Amino acid sequence: MRHSIGRTRNGMLVYVDLINSKAGIHIAQQPYLLGLLKQALAGISAKGVSMSIEHDMGRSVGYNFVVKTTEKDTVLYARLLRDELYTRFVKNGKPLATTFISMVLERDTDKNYELRDAWIGRLTPPRPGSDQETVDSKQYWAEHAYVLDNQSLQLRTVTKTCPYEA
């Protein structure tokens, strides 16, 4: 289901698939993200085939659930439901208030942009093992983790052993 979000500063149409995209999952969890995205897009010029954007909204917009970890933290790894990649989690972590939202846009064949993913918080490298993994992924995720909250985990995958090497 395509849902139009708005237009960029340079007039490019941006839409989201609310059913089959990561952005759709995050919007369902935090519906006000849609309004924040519309505001942010109005100030951004879209160029290129794919864009990863971090935008400072200039005011507190929510909480960033990716936090820096220390050796004192209790860390575990698990796969989320319907996910083949392991995610690093920290127990008893506290999400931090943030002024940032992040988004990933891809241009389609009609020269519009599809919002592939969006979240409240800073831009992060893709998780290790993903097709989009970068040279920074393993190092970043060795020092950061998602705050363990009410995520639906595949319980048989929960481990304290890192499934990828830094």
Side-chain angles (χ1 to χ4, degrees), residues 3-4 13 25 57 63 69 106 108 120 137 145 150 154 159:
H3 176 79
S4 177
L13 177 69
I25 293 168
M57 298 298 292
Y63 292 91
T69 58
E106 285 186 14
D108 66 14
I120 292 174
S137 292
N150 60 355
Q154 296 178 38
T159 181

Side-chain angles (χ1 to χ4, degrees), residues 138-158:
K138 286 182 182 173
Q139 181 63 39
Y140 181 86
W141 289 109
E143 299 172 354
H144 294 80
Y146 284 91
V147 174
L148 187 60
D149 192 26
N150 60 355
Q151 298 95 334
S152 297
L153 305 178
Q154 296 178 38
L155 296 180
R156 292 183 180 170
T157 67
V158 176

